[in-house]
Amino acid sequence: MRVMANKQSRRRGRLLVIWLFAAGCVVLAGCYDQMADYTAVHALSHGDAGRGARLIAQYGCGGCHIVPGISGAEGLVGPPLNKMARRVYIAGLLRNSPENLAAWIENPQAIVPGNAMPTMGIDHEQAQDIVAYLYTLR
């Protein structure tokens, strides 16, 4: 009986080690994905997400949009900007790419005249920073 208990104990110990190893791999893979996401966002947008967040607050984008991670950004005029990195279209007609999103942010009236989003005087570099932040919203 004692031999059988020792075998079960060793088996449980091995299973625990395997489970802990697998869990550690999953955690490390998640860290890698987050770093890869940050690198990809920066490479795609050529912007700085931290500056983008500050610009979103500075320009008052939250007066019209819900923007996760931006204090007080709870507007209901425009669409919520959550999960922007996963969206297929911008404004229902432009493919979601860093270039298209930056163009929309810089001058939405040039793309869809008469739409509700005003041209705010955001320059190209600022738009790229805002895009970098919006692309962190997955």
Side-chain angles (χ1 to χ4, degrees):
M1 194 62 139
R2 198 167 232 239
V3 172
M4 199 169 192
N6 282 341
K7 284 183 181 180
Q8 286 178 344
S9 179
R10 278 183 276 173
R11 178 193 265 166
R12 283 190 197 120
R14 278 188 237 133
L15 287 174
L16 179 62
V17 168
I18 291 169
W19 186 87
L20 288 172
F21 177 76
C25 288
V26 169
V27 168
L28 290 175
C31 293
Y32 174 79
D33 285 348
Q34 288 176 350
M35 186 52 121
D37 285 348
Y38 176 80
T39 304
V41 164
H42 184 73
L44 285 173
S45 67
H46 305 290
D48 180 285
R51 275 194 310 245
R54 290 188 296 277
L55 289 165
I56 288 169
Q58 175 186 324
Y59 279 100
C61 302
C64 292
H65 299 279
I66 294 171
V67 188
I70 306 298
S71 180
E74 299 174 2
L76 299 175
V77 176
L81 301 181
N82 60 319
K83 299 184 182 178
M84 279 302 297
R86 294 182 180 191
R87 295 189 186 188
V88 177
Y89 291 102
I90 302 161
L93 64 115
L94 289 175
R95 290 291 294 183
N96 188 1
S97 71
E99 298 81 20
N100 285 344
L101 186 52
W104 175 260
I105 291 167
E106 287 175 59
N107 193 354
Q109 293 301 314
I111 297 169
V112 181
N115 81 81
M117 185 156 159
T119 299
M120 302 288 293
I122 296 170
D123 67 32
H124 187 67
E125 183 179 343
Q126 291 172 323
Q128 287 179 319
D129 291 339
I130 292 170
V131 168
Y133 180 78
L134 294 176
Y135 270 32
T136 68
L137 304 178
R138 303 186 152 275

